[in-house]
Amino acid sequence: MNSGVRGFVWYRFRATFGHRWGGLLAVVLLTGLLGGLSMGAIEAARTTESSPLDFATSTHTPGLFVLDDYANPAIGQNSAYNPRLLRTIAHLPHVEKVESEAGINAGPVGKNDEPLPASEGTGANGSVDGLNFNEDRVIVTQGRMANPNKAAEFVLDSGTARLFGLHLGETVTIGWINNTQGNNSINFKVPRTQQIKMKLVGVGAVDLNDLFQDQGGASSGGIELFTPAFTDKILACCSNDMLSGITLQGGLQSRYYGVVESDLRKVLPKGVPFTYVQATDVLARAERTLKPESIALGIFGGIAGLAALLIAGQVIGRRIRLNTEELDVLRALGADPKMTIGDGLIGTLGAILAGMLLAGLVAVGLSPLGPLGPIGPLAPLALRIDWTVVGLGMAVLAVALGTLAVVVAFRAAPHRVVTRLERERASSVARVATSSGLPPAAVTGIRFALEPGVGRNAVPVRSAILGAVLAVVVVVSTITFGSSMNTLISHPALYGWNWSADIDGGGGLGDIPAHSVARLLNADPLVGGWTGVYYSTLQIDGVNVPVMGGSPNASVGPPLLSGHAFDAVDQVVLGASTLAQLPKHVGDTV
């Protein structure tokens, strides 16, 4: 475009801006608000999907947790604390760091010097050397985290605080007993010499594992956490088990899990069951939990983006077509095709660029609303820019709407006589309606609906119909998705929770008398079915895998995605992540 054409276009823009600014502002607002909403929703979907890994990274979650040792007074092992074992684990190949916590016999004491009745079944953990403070850091939603160097501070999760009847800032008497006394702890008076006044400085303590509980862990997510300064005082007498968080080389995505797990099997004391949890398993569970929300946000963002393009496109097309009569005058005065095309573009392209920038600002402004899910309230409130979404979204808006504006301006130019004559032709549907003898009112209605008109009477018929269809699709899709989600969450059996209650044994809870329980359950008419299972760890094709053992043809079992439940002792059912890890497929041999 030469300088003469540019000067003419700029003069026309300044001369006509007074009556065009309303349409240009509409383009800016529609592009910016709808486009920003679209990018914000897609950005929230990505943030929600990645929030478990981001949370684990920010709290320094170790890749592996393992049960190191436990107290057994029957063989003279009165403490679970085993510093020699911890040093051995810390020097294993591919291990970068080891921090531990101990299950301790401590908790609130009442006025009668007895543990509170609510202490029964509530486990207390004491950080040995910084676990839950440095590594796998616990987040506190009310108050603050306890100072690890102060013995007189502790934190609780919200449920445990309610169970004990304690409030933030309250000073509490905490007592402890040794492992021999612990056998009858609920009826034992705690000596005054084994009591200390502590301040509850934090309530609502959570970690990653507690945020995404599965069926087996739904009742074990309490946090009663004491500082290393306090734990050190009672570690030798009153610790009943020890759990270590192990940071591996390569972080959470380390390739050394199998090697380290095999080495751990060799160094753990005899009689200690090899019990471990991989952080990747917890992350996978969290990601599966958040998947529906991230998908829903992504779909909403896509629909909002399509609506932004269609609605803004309608306004752009309408605004350019309104000037066709003025373009005829300009052409008659000698304006060439470049001038007539540029006349309708300079303001429109500027509005598109302004709307694109506004959309980016709106998307950034919406970023503190993500992520959704249980991690959302714990995430810092801050503006975040996902350049992949914002940059690509702004580019799509600019290119798509800019191209549309150029095409419409080219087709609306006076020299496109053939195109304009084609637009003046009556609708084929209207012609058929006229020839078929329909009443004049029906024919007129069809023409109003389908004929675009010419000049200032022109209307974007096709885009209007497409927009109406899109609106109906959005409403129907939203209602259908919402109804389906409500049905899913209100019927736990649909997502795998196909049992009503469980009875836990072992792990300090005491053994279940199998024959007596079987007799009672079989005789109870209100029990529709039951199955006994146990938990352990096995090696499958050299990979350490946590397993659930059961009986063939059990009446209650986990729902399957493919294949069938095992009906013989030489069959096994594996989860999708385990199949991918091995890698194997249904029907293979392991």
Side-chain angles (χ1 to χ4, degrees), residues 163-178:
L163 187 66
F164 287 154
L166 302 179
H167 305 283
L168 180 66
E170 185 174 352
T171 299
V172 184
T173 300
I174 299 295
W176 61 92
I177 51 182
N178 60 46

Side-chain angles (χ1 to χ4, degrees), residues 245-269:
I246 303 173
T247 302
L248 307 183
Q249 294 175 356
L252 294 174
Q253 305 303 323
S254 174
R255 56 191 178 92
Y256 300 115
Y257 280 102
V259 175
V260 174
E261 288 162 8
S262 297
D263 291 341
L264 285 171
R265 278 182 177 271
K266 301 173 184 177
V267 301
L268 290 180

Side-chain angles (χ1 to χ4, degrees), residues 350-523:
I352 291 173
L353 292 177
M356 174 196 73
L357 295 175
L358 177 61
L361 293 176
V362 170
V364 174
L366 292 175
S367 62
L369 299 179
L372 299 186
I375 294 179
L378 307 176
L381 190 64
L383 295 176
R384 295 179 290 272
I385 303 178
D386 186 340
W387 287 111
T388 301
V389 175
V390 176
L392 184 60
M394 292 172 65
V396 169
L397 287 175
V399 172
L401 295 179
T403 302
L404 174 66
V406 171
V407 171
V408 173
F410 180 76
R411 296 188 63 187
H415 70 283
R416 296 283 297 171
V417 177
V418 176
T419 302
R420 295 183 62 199
L421 290 176
E422 288 178 352
R423 290 203 305 268
E424 294 174 7
R425 292 185 304 179
S427 166
S428 300
V429 178
R431 289 198 303 270
V432 172
T434 303
S435 62
S436 62
L438 289 178
V443 174
T444 302
I446 292 174
R447 284 177 174 167
F448 281 157
L450 300 179
E451 291 182 355
V454 181
R456 292 188 177 274
N457 296 322
V459 292
V461 172
R462 296 182 183 89
S463 55
I465 294 175
L466 182 59
V469 171
L470 178 64
V472 173
V473 170
V474 170
V475 172
V476 172
S477 300
T478 302
I479 294 175
T480 301
F481 183 85
S483 176
S484 300
M485 182 64 74
N486 182 67
T487 300
L488 179 65
I489 63 177
S490 60
H491 295 79
L494 295 177
Y495 55 83
W497 198 319
N498 58 356
W499 45 266
S500 303
D502 73 336
I503 304 174
D504 292 326
L509 299 174
D511 294 332
I512 296 176
H515 295 293
S516 300
V517 170
R519 184 171 62 255
L520 292 172
L521 294 177
N522 289 331

Side-chain angles (χ1 to χ4, degrees), residues 188-221:
F188 187 86
K189 288 186 178 296
V190 180
R192 294 293 177 90
T193 57
Q194 296 175 206
Q195 297 182 22
I196 185 176
K197 296 291 185 180
M198 283 194 189
K199 186 176 182 180
L200 179 58
V201 298
V203 174
V206 294
D207 61 16
L208 181 63
N209 189 58
D210 295 320
L211 289 173
F212 298 93
Q213 290 285 357
D214 58 13
Q215 296 133 302
S219 61
S220 60

